[in-house]
Amino acid sequence: MRSLFLRSRLFAVGVLILGLLILIALLQPFINRLLIGNTDPLAMGTFDTMLEPSREHLLGTDKWGRDWAALLVLGLRYSLVIGFLSGTVATLISVILGFVSGYKGGRLDSVLRTLTDMVLVIPALPILITVAAYIKFFSIVAMALLLALFSWAFGMRTIRAQVLSLRARPYVDLARVSNLNDMQIIFEELVPNLLPFLGVALASSTAVAILAETGLELIGVGPGGNIITLGLMVNFAQSWGSLALGYYALLFAPVVALILIFVSMNLINMGLEEVFNPRLKRVTGG
Amino acid sequence: MKNHPVLTYVVKRIALYILTIWGAFTIAFFFFHSVPGDPIGAYVRSMEQRYGQRIQDSEQIIQAWRKSMGLDGPLWYQYLQYLDHVLLHFDLGPSFVNFPTPAQKYIFEAMPWTVGLLGLATVISWVLGFIFGGILGWKRDSPVASGVTGLSLVFSQVQPYFMALALLSLFAWKLALFPRRGAFDPSIPKAFTWQFILSVIQHGTLPALSLVLTTAFGWVISTRAMVVSILGEDYLIYAKAKGLKGSAILRNYVLRNAMLPQITGLAISLGFILNGAILVETIFQYPGMGFLLTNSISQLDYNTVQGIMLLSIVLVMTATLLLDLLMPLIDPRVGRQGSA
């Protein structure tokens, strides 16, 4: 892991940005206290409305008198929770199916591969919009599961391809003739070698989930209730016409936070690929 | 068939194409119909609103509508009925909102706008991305190039709908340089006049820009990566040893080899065109398939939504099918086995 940081600057920068964002999300209760004391960030009418950014309100306040910076930290927390929850579930699905498909091969492999291709081409957003629009109560977990259902296919293909190539390596044959069973081979020989690809699958499915959630919020069919995400903040800022009226912080703060999330995930992916894809290493390593 | 490997491959590939379309649509159909919504109720309410009076004796009428909209009987029966309509009659069923006009009429009306706007924007982004990505990869050691690469990396993660929101509020609302919604000025008659074409271009500029200014950076990054990986190939050392000029190597060896995988990428993203269209078209209320889709969803117009989803699935699958069948002809390195 340490050498990974040294070998890829992209990876290091990506982990640094993402780590910082996660830290902010984890420390949300403390940061909230620093920003606005013991006030509920979601409570309306706490402050004057539509204030410009200032010492007291770093990003100003919104139309309902809420501190935008405190909301941003809370929104970041919810967005990351939804993203990682969904990304983890999606990665689990893709790992299980990818392993079964790649390791067992044969007829089962063809069936699973065709199923994956089907899920890959289903236009997910229309279905997500429909489901989100007509189910009244939507918990964070339900949202994450729904997003995961449509974001595992890409990771499954990556992992299956890797399992296929790893399976043919001599050390796996060695493990097989030394009478290790399938589970032992998978967990002791294959999984350690696949960790970087699991990282790629996790980072990309998490990014896809956050992206989709933001899309749903923009159309106005997010989880609702008291759940404020970065996407919902973009939606609010847009509906108040904040750019046209000159309240730039309201729109740009959540947009920048989202872009930072996407950039960091992308950097991590590119870094992992740079280190573990030998075809690229020859050039970039030199 | 046995002694004709190419024919066997093509037949197998087309069978898989049909199977995948069927499977993807079937999953989408049942997922969509599991949503607890009542399209007939929504339709009756919208009728009542439109005519300002309650509909009498509604139970019978609702039954009749249910039948003509293909919503009577259990789910599997509705499914079979739908397949029968689509496959044997090329009929996507009546639009619920504008009953009894068939849904395909609205879809085909919306299609040229999406294909024109997004197809053009996608191709422009690809060309720009390919050119600049090629240059950045070729000059990968210069500090300016790595700076620009870093910036492109950030901009490639700006989503088209963020750009759409920014452009809309800045150029349409604040500066009022461009129209805010629609695809043309409705006061100008629809005809091949300069006035109408100008209005179409004016209305399309911002939506197209929001796609070009974001997705082009994605192509820059992927083209650059492709070029950098080609720069490690042995045949470039040979070309250099032959004494070829740098520009000739770039044009004839590097870009040529980078182009094929990038064209594959372009074809696939043209297949996925509808995904990008949904949010951008909705933001600009551009009358393409994406806007039609979000509108139909909010009115529970099952037939229109299903039709668009089916079309989108067919589009993506056809793009990949054509690639798989044509690539071996264009690129001798792609074996028929490898493309399966």
Side-chain angles (χ1 to χ4, degrees):
Chain A
M1 196 67 182
R2 224 185 111 202
S3 66
L4 198 57
F5 281 100
L6 295 178
R7 273 158 71 191
S8 171
R9 218 170 48 195
L10 294 176
F11 183 79
V13 175
V15 169
L16 195 75
I17 299 175
L18 188 63
L20 214 63
L21 292 173
I22 293 177
L23 194 69
I24 293 174
L26 285 177
L27 294 178
Q28 186 266 333
F30 301 101
I31 296 174
N32 190 59
R33 202 166 303 158
L34 279 180
L35 288 172
I36 52 169
N38 274 330
T39 332
D40 177 6
L42 288 168
M44 297 188 185
T46 317
F47 308 103
D48 286 337
T49 59
M50 294 305 243
L51 292 176
E52 293 283 336
S54 64
R55 287 267 304 276
E56 282 103 274
H57 304 289
L58 294 178
L59 295 171
T61 59
D62 72 359
K63 201 175 183 175
W64 297 325
R66 302 179 295 188
D67 183 276
W68 203 240
L71 271 189
L72 183 74
V73 178
L74 189 63
L76 176 72
R77 189 179 163 110
Y78 275 123
S79 282
L80 284 178
V81 166
I82 292 178
F84 274 112
L85 210 57
S86 169
T88 311
V89 174
T91 308
L92 269 178
I93 299 176
S94 61
V95 165
I96 293 171
L97 294 185
F99 263 101
V100 171
S101 193
Y103 192 75
K104 285 288 174 198
R107 187 149 296 205
L108 189 62
D109 180 36
S110 333
V111 172
L112 287 177
R113 221 175 54 194
T114 314
L115 178 76
T116 307
D117 283 347
M118 287 171 184
V119 173
L120 207 60
V121 298
I122 294 177
L125 201 54
I127 297 186
L128 290 174
I129 296 171
T130 316
V131 174
Y134 288 98
I135 292 181
K136 296 281 172 277
F137 175 73
F138 233 81
S139 69
I140 289 185
V141 178
M143 189 77 202
L145 287 180
L146 185 68
L147 294 171
L149 222 47
F150 292 99
S151 57
W152 56 268
F154 190 74
M156 184 275 190
R157 295 225 298 199
T158 315
I159 288 166
R160 177 186 162 276
Q162 289 306 318
V163 171
L164 269 185
S165 97
L166 284 177
R167 200 180 57 158
R169 304 277 165 92
Y171 59 79
V172 177
D173 289 334
L174 181 69
R176 207 170 285 139
V177 291
S178 23
N179 255 341
L180 293 182
N181 63 32
D182 280 358
M183 282 297 136
Q184 279 171 315
I185 294 177
I186 287 179
F187 283 105
E188 286 168 25
E189 307 291 338
L190 296 182
V191 170
N193 286 300
L194 270 170
L195 279 181
F197 298 95
L198 297 190
V200 171
L202 180 64
S204 52
S205 54
T206 303
V208 167
I210 295 177
L211 200 63
E213 200 278 330
T214 310
L216 292 183
E217 294 284 10
L218 285 189
I219 291 196
V221 291
N226 269 336
I227 301 166
I228 187 149
T229 63
L230 295 174
L232 185 59
M233 294 177 74
V234 176
N235 184 346
F236 284 157
Q238 174 64 15
S239 64
W240 299 325
S242 59
L243 265 198
L245 298 173
Y247 295 98
Y248 299 107
L250 292 185
L251 182 68
F252 281 126
V255 167
V256 167
L258 282 165
I259 291 173
L260 279 179
I261 294 177
F262 298 142
V263 168
S264 65
M265 304 259 178
N266 210 23
L267 284 174
I268 290 173
N269 269 351
M270 289 172 68
L272 286 173
E273 235 170 73
E274 187 178 65
V275 174
F276 291 97
N277 187 342
R279 219 174 109 80
L280 287 177
K281 199 159 55 179
R282 187 155 57 153
V283 182
T284 44
Chain B
M1 269 239 319
K2 268 238 156 59
N3 29 21
H4 207 312
V6 176
L7 193 65
T8 315
Y9 169 72
V10 170
V11 169
K12 262 191 185 163
R13 187 62 190 78
I14 290 174
L16 195 66
Y17 165 79
I18 295 168
L19 180 73
T20 313
I21 290 178
W22 167 77
F25 179 73
T26 303
I27 298 173
F29 182 94
F30 283 101
F31 218 96
F32 195 67
H33 277 261
S34 67
V35 172
D38 176 17
I40 304 282
Y43 180 64
V44 170
R45 267 194 302 283
S46 84
M47 290 285 278
E48 287 177 348
Q49 258 174 16
R50 199 178 303 168
Y51 299 112
Q53 59 183 50
R54 293 197 56 79
I55 290 174
Q56 302 293 315
D57 195 18
S58 41
E59 199 46 47
Q60 247 175 335
I61 297 172
I62 284 177
Q63 272 314 316
W65 272 335
R66 225 173 249 291
K67 191 158 173 51
S68 53
M69 290 176 181
L71 286 171
D72 54 334
L75 196 51
W76 61 265
Y77 176 74
Q78 293 178 24
Y79 172 71
L80 289 181
Q81 218 180 12
Y82 189 80
L83 284 192
D84 171 66
H85 277 295
V86 173
L87 292 180
L88 300 180
H89 307 279
F90 296 108
D91 180 16
L92 297 173
S95 156
F96 295 178
V97 180
N98 296 295
F99 187 76
T101 319
Q104 61 262 31
K105 179 169 176 285
Y106 293 97
I107 296 175
F108 286 131
E109 266 175 19
M111 197 148 55
W113 294 111
T114 297
V115 172
L117 176 75
L118 281 105
L120 204 62
T122 307
V123 172
I124 292 175
S125 317
W126 185 87
V127 172
L128 289 176
F130 189 76
I131 294 172
F132 286 103
I135 296 172
L136 286 182
W138 184 245
K139 303 252 177 218
R140 69 186 193 283
D141 294 326
S142 99
V144 178
S146 46
V148 175
T149 306
L151 274 181
S152 312
L153 201 74
V154 173
F155 273 97
S156 71
Q157 297 305 308
V158 176
Q159 298 306 314
Y161 48 80
F162 293 156
M163 192 56 84
L165 291 178
L167 292 178
L168 183 68
S169 13
L170 210 65
F171 291 105
W173 286 96
K174 195 158 192 202
L175 302 174
L177 291 175
F178 287 96
R180 290 160 196 167
R181 61 171 68 94
F184 53 89
D185 189 341
S187 65
I188 301 171
K190 258 191 191 180
F192 266 107
T193 57
W194 282 114
Q195 207 188 6
F196 183 72
I197 293 171
L198 196 71
S199 155
V200 168
I201 293 175
Q202 253 182 348
H203 283 76
T205 306
L206 288 185
L209 269 184
S210 41
L211 279 148
V212 171
L213 291 181
T214 48
T215 49
F217 291 101
W219 293 117
V220 166
I221 294 296
S222 63
T223 311
R224 181 189 170 275
M226 192 59 65
V227 165
V228 167
S229 83
I230 288 170
L231 289 181
E233 298 284 352
D234 294 332
Y235 55 76
L236 285 192
I237 301 174
Y238 176 65
K240 219 173 275 173
K242 272 204 308 193
L244 287 181
K245 265 195 303 192
S247 59
I249 298 181
L250 177 64
R251 228 182 16 250
N252 297 336
Y253 289 74
V254 179
L255 290 187
R256 239 182 201 205
N257 281 298
M259 187 167 286
L260 267 185
Q262 291 304 94
I263 285 182
T264 309
L266 175 65
I268 289 174
S269 66
L270 281 177
F272 277 105
I273 211 168
L274 194 66
N275 276 16
I278 297 174
L279 291 168
V280 171
E281 284 185 0
T282 306
I283 289 170
F284 286 101
Q285 304 187 11
Y286 199 84
M289 295 201 300
F291 186 44
L292 178 66
L293 185 73
T294 44
N295 261 347
S296 309
I297 287 174
S298 66
Q299 293 164 314
L300 269 184
D301 191 339
Y302 279 21
N303 284 343
T304 309
V305 176
Q306 278 166 15
I308 295 176
M309 287 206 284
L310 181 61
L311 202 68
S312 158
I313 292 170
V314 170
L315 210 63
V316 177
M317 288 311 299
T318 309
T320 47
L321 175 77
L322 288 180
L323 277 177
D324 276 0
L325 294 184
L326 294 180
M327 264 307 164
L329 300 180
I330 305 170
D331 186 353
R333 285 172 306 179
V334 179
R336 274 184 297 279
Q337 302 305 318
S339 54

